[in-house]
Amino acid sequence: MKKLYVLALFAMFVLLGAGSILGNNGQIVFYLIMFAMGLCLAYYAHWFKKFAQKVNAILPLMETDPDAYIAETEKLLAGKRPNNIRSMLTMNIAVAYMEKGDYVTAKQKLRGINGGALKKANGAVYFLNLAYVMIHLGENEQALDLIKKYKKRFLSLPMGGNLPRLNAFVQIFEAIQEGRWDAANEQMKAVKENWPNKVTGVDYTILEKQLQTHNNNPEIQA
């Protein structure tokens, strides 16, 4: 894409100054440049479509065979890739490690991404995943800080895929940390009713154990 920007700047140069130098040929040169830029854009669109098809084709492996998914996605990361594509693929790899229960490696992968540079929804998904991993690693204070900071962005995410489960997870965690046990129990009940089966990248076991411990011994805090 950087090459396209260079071409665009060059075309602007032609428009602003080169026309007076090239005379009647200036317009021809300009159209040739615009044609070349069009070809570059068409090539990128074609490449991106094929690349997206490869990414989507291996997504089912994330749940059925996380190791295979990681290996295939690492292949897609080979070579030069735009930063946004590298970030999204790396985040997917982190989710695959979550599915394996390897939260240490998942966090390492997430920390390799500049979350602040991710745009809008992608940035919110990044911090949601990071909070989820921190909770499983027992980094409760750091996780709670992230949740409070980005809660509005989390709740404004389009509720597709496993995002509703992740949002429910961090909300239950927040309620537990704040001692709102009745609210946490109600939310966990809703989770089990809405999603009785384990979902990719979301494991409630750690929260279920905390709730069970408290419900059996109400005087014990998280």
Side-chain angles (χ1 to χ4, degrees), residues 18-64:
S20 60
I21 298 173
L22 298 173
N24 293 334
N25 293 326
Q27 190 174 20
I28 297 174
V29 173
F30 171 73
Y31 283 122
L32 285 174
I33 292 172
M34 296 303 293
F35 177 72
M37 290 180 65
L39 287 178
C40 290
L41 286 170
Y43 172 78
Y44 180 78
H46 175 74
W47 172 85
F48 186 81
K49 180 180 179 181
K50 293 293 184 182
F51 190 81
Q53 288 174 345
K54 292 179 181 178
V55 172
N56 292 331
I58 63 174
L59 273 177
L61 291 173
M62 187 184 288
E63 183 174 6
T64 60

Side-chain angles (χ1 to χ4, degrees), residues 124-164:
V125 172
Y126 169 82
F127 288 111
L128 183 58
N129 279 309
L130 184 57
Y132 173 83
V133 167
M134 286 178 168
I135 293 167
H136 280 279
L137 292 175
E139 300 172 4
N140 293 344
E141 291 185 10
Q142 299 94 317
L144 193 59
D145 287 342
L146 278 181
I147 294 167
K148 290 185 177 299
K149 183 176 181 179
Y150 296 105
K151 187 172 183 177
K152 289 184 178 179
R153 291 177 62 183
F154 293 166
L155 296 178
S156 67
L157 284 168
M159 291 293 108
N162 68 342
L163 291 179

Side-chain angles (χ1 to χ4, degrees), residues 171-172 175-176 180-189 211:
Q171 289 179 67
I172 294 171
I176 290 175
R180 294 184 285 111
W181 295 100
D182 289 342
N185 277 308
E186 285 299 314
Q187 288 173 305
M188 184 62 76
K189 180 181 178 181
L211 285 172

Side-chain angles (χ1 to χ4, degrees):
M1 291 303 292
K2 289 183 179 179
K3 293 180 180 179
L4 293 178
Y5 296 145
V6 172
L7 285 172
L9 289 174
F10 186 68
M12 290 177 63
F13 166 75
V14 172
L15 275 174
L16 296 173
S20 60
I21 298 173
L22 298 173
N24 293 334
N25 293 326
Q27 190 174 20
I28 297 174
V29 173
F30 171 73
Y31 283 122
L32 285 174
I33 292 172
M34 296 303 293
F35 177 72
M37 290 180 65
L39 287 178
C40 290
L41 286 170
Y43 172 78
Y44 180 78
H46 175 74
W47 172 85
F48 186 81
K49 180 180 179 181
K50 293 293 184 182
F51 190 81
Q53 288 174 345
K54 292 179 181 178
V55 172
N56 292 331
I58 63 174
L59 273 177
L61 291 173
M62 187 184 288
E63 183 174 6
T64 60
D65 191 346
D67 288 319
Y69 177 83
I70 291 167
E72 292 299 318
T73 305
E74 292 285 3
K75 292 178 185 177
L76 293 178
L77 278 171
K80 293 183 178 179
R81 297 282 182 260
N83 286 335
N84 61 327
I85 291 178
R86 296 194 68 86
S87 295
M88 291 306 301
L89 290 178
T90 302
M91 187 152 52
N92 285 350
I93 289 174
V95 173
Y97 277 108
M98 294 178 209
E99 182 69 14
K100 284 163 55 70
D102 186 351
Y103 298 104
V104 172
T105 304
K107 183 182 177 183
Q108 291 173 350
K109 293 295 181 180
L110 289 172
R111 285 302 194 189
I113 302 171
N114 181 4
L118 293 173
K119 303 297 182 182
K120 298 180 180 179
N122 290 335
V125 172
Y126 169 82
F127 288 111
L128 183 58
N129 279 309
L130 184 57
Y132 173 83
V133 167
M134 286 178 168
I135 293 167
H136 280 279
L137 292 175
E139 300 172 4
N140 293 344
E141 291 185 10
Q142 299 94 317
L144 193 59
D145 287 342
L146 278 181
I147 294 167
K148 290 185 177 299
K149 183 176 181 179
Y150 296 105
K151 187 172 183 177
K152 289 184 178 179
R153 291 177 62 183
F154 293 166
L155 296 178
S156 67
L157 284 168
M159 291 293 108
N162 68 342
L163 291 179
R165 290 83 165 176
L166 280 171
N167 261 318
F169 182 96
V170 299
Q171 289 179 67
I172 294 171
F173 168 79
E174 182 183 28
I176 290 175
Q177 292 300 304
E178 294 178 349
R180 294 184 285 111
W181 295 100
D182 289 342
N185 277 308
E186 285 299 314
Q187 288 173 305
M188 184 62 76
K189 180 181 178 181
V191 163
K192 292 182 177 180
E193 290 175 351
N194 294 330
W195 311 301
N197 300 318
K198 182 176 178 295
V199 183
T200 304
V202 184
D203 185 353
Y204 287 88
T205 304
I206 189 171
L207 300 183
E208 290 176 320
K209 288 181 178 178
Q210 290 180 33
L211 285 172
Q212 183 177 10
T213 298
H214 178 269
N215 292 339
N216 293 336
N217 303 278
E219 69 279 3
I220 297 177
Q221 301 297 311

